[in-house]
Amino acid sequence: MGNLKNKTGLITGATSGIGLASAKALAKMGAELYLVGRNGQKGKKVVQEIKSETGNQNIHLIIGDLSSLMDVTKVAHSFLSYNKPLHILLNNAGIYNTSRKLSKDGYEEMFAVNHLSHFLLTNLLLERIKSSGSARIVNVASGAHILVKKINFEDLNFDNGFKSLKVYSHSKLANVLFTCELANRLKESNVTVNSVDPGEVGTNLGSQNGLFGKIVSPLMKLFLQTSEKGAKTSIYMCSSTEVEGISGKNFRNCKEKSPKPWATNAETAKKLWDISERLIHSSIKTPYNNV
């Protein structure tokens, strides 16, 4: 187990599943952690749980709903107000919808939460991350990215042809492409960025979806690996000296696993970055350097 004393980390989606398992492991290593969650009552219980289990008292909660880009800016402002360095950013939160929903900003919700929110949060925190010396950004993606071969630039909201698994996989493809473009932009810095495929994990992903959430989601947990096992690669990428300096890669089971060629296409990654910027600026009109 690594030593993360004097290191500061921020984790999204940290109140359950892989995020919670990751938070507990990093807390045991001594990291000071800022956990992002949308439910204050649940978040406070999780903070106390982690403190009790690990003995690490440097665990903090930041309330924010990642389906709102304005909330994402508030999360970034909250962290920056503590004047702390940021050595580890674990972009872990994710949702799976069985029917088409729009975010508070009017974007297809899986794309908004799984991609746009982390794109914005990372950029808002990037200068702090870069000024913290050696730092790591870890994006939790998915092997599901192989199920779609392109970003649906013509219809990012999936006004037509919505199929839940396809649209979820589309958002996970965006995670991998974002990782590639960000790694390219950070290649002259001391910051690395990699994506993670946690494998088939039984989490609360999709639990908000009516019958699916009440019956199917719990049943699936019986056949899938636990959150603790699913978090192993995220924890490894956040803490292991073995991956020091490695950037722009994808990992599964704590080993490098190359994504599909269309997930690392530089032209597509750059186009997704540019469009993501435009979508965010049209919604909140906040340049990153004004934060």
Side-chain angles (χ1 to χ4, degrees):
M1 186 173 291
N3 185 344
L4 295 178
K5 289 182 178 178
N6 301 317
K7 299 292 185 182
T8 305
L10 185 147
I11 306 174
T12 66
T15 58
S16 65
I18 294 173
L20 176 55
S22 300
K24 288 181 177 180
L26 298 181
K28 286 179 182 177
M29 297 181 203
E32 179 172 3
L33 297 178
Y34 290 79
L35 312 182
V36 179
R38 61 182 176 179
N39 185 314
Q41 185 176 4
K42 182 179 181 180
K44 289 175 184 177
K45 288 182 179 179
V46 165
V47 166
Q48 291 306 315
E49 179 183 332
I50 295 173
K51 287 180 176 180
S52 177
E53 287 189 19
T54 67
N56 185 340
Q57 301 304 301
N58 292 317
I59 311 298
H60 317 278
L61 178 66
I62 299 178
I63 303 297
D65 182 352
L66 298 190
S67 68
S68 163
L69 294 175
M70 190 54 67
D71 259 31
V72 175
T73 66
K74 291 177 181 177
V75 167
H77 275 293
S78 293
F79 177 80
L80 293 172
S81 71
Y82 291 107
N83 293 317
K84 293 279 187 175
L86 185 55
H87 306 101
I88 300 165
L89 174 59
L90 178 53
N91 288 320
N92 165 82
I95 62 168
Y96 183 97
N97 292 334
T98 54
S99 60
R100 183 175 177 272
K101 298 177 183 178
L102 297 182
S103 72
K104 293 180 180 179
D105 302 286
Y107 303 124
E108 190 283 313
E109 195 174 48
M110 285 188 275
F111 183 77
V113 173
N114 299 351
H115 168 63
L116 277 183
S117 68
H118 289 121
F119 176 88
L120 175 58
L121 181 64
T122 302
N123 275 287
L124 292 172
L125 297 174
L126 200 52
E127 288 307 311
R128 179 63 56 84
I129 295 170
K130 289 162 71 174
S131 69
S132 301
S134 179
R136 303 179 183 191
I137 300 168
V138 179
N139 298 321
V140 178
S142 169
H145 81 271
I146 70 173
L147 300 179
V148 290
K149 294 188 176 182
K150 65 176 185 176
I151 294 294
N152 193 24
F153 289 118
E154 297 78 19
D155 184 15
L156 287 172
N157 273 354
F158 285 91
D159 292 314
N160 300 298
F162 180 94
K163 293 181 180 179
S164 55
L165 181 57
K166 179 179 75 171
V167 178
Y168 173 76
S169 302
H170 178 263
S171 72
K172 295 287 106 179
L173 173 59
N175 292 156
V176 183
L177 288 164
F178 168 51
T179 300
C180 293
E181 176 63 17
L182 182 57
N184 182 57
R185 290 169 182 251
L186 291 173
K187 59 187 176 184
E188 301 301 326
S189 73
N190 289 323
V191 181
T192 62
V193 54
N194 294 284
S195 58
V196 165
D197 172 7
E200 294 71 38
V201 184
T203 69
N204 290 330
L205 189 71
S207 60
Q208 78 281 7
N209 293 294
L211 183 65
F212 178 93
K214 292 178 181 178
I215 299 176
V216 180
S217 185
L219 283 176
M220 287 175 64
K221 291 184 180 182
L222 299 176
F223 303 98
L224 302 176
Q225 63 179 334
T226 64
S227 295
E228 288 72 25
K229 289 183 179 179
K232 283 186 175 181
T233 306
S234 294
I235 297 163
Y236 175 77
M237 296 307 297
C238 288
S239 63
S240 176
T241 57
E242 294 179 1
V243 291
E244 187 76 41
I246 295 176
S247 192
K249 305 298 182 181
N250 184 66
F251 283 76
R252 179 182 169 119
N253 294 325
C254 300
K255 295 179 181 178
E256 186 179 334
K257 180 177 176 60
S258 297
K260 292 297 183 180
W262 58 82
T264 58
N265 181 280
E267 184 178 343
T268 304
K270 174 65 166 57
K271 183 176 181 179
L272 176 63
W273 183 287
D274 292 342
I275 288 178
S276 299
E277 277 194 333
R278 290 203 294 271
L279 292 176
I280 286 167
H281 288 164
S282 68
S283 297
I284 62 174
K285 298 178 175 59
T286 303
Y288 305 139
N289 57 11
N290 282 359
V291 175

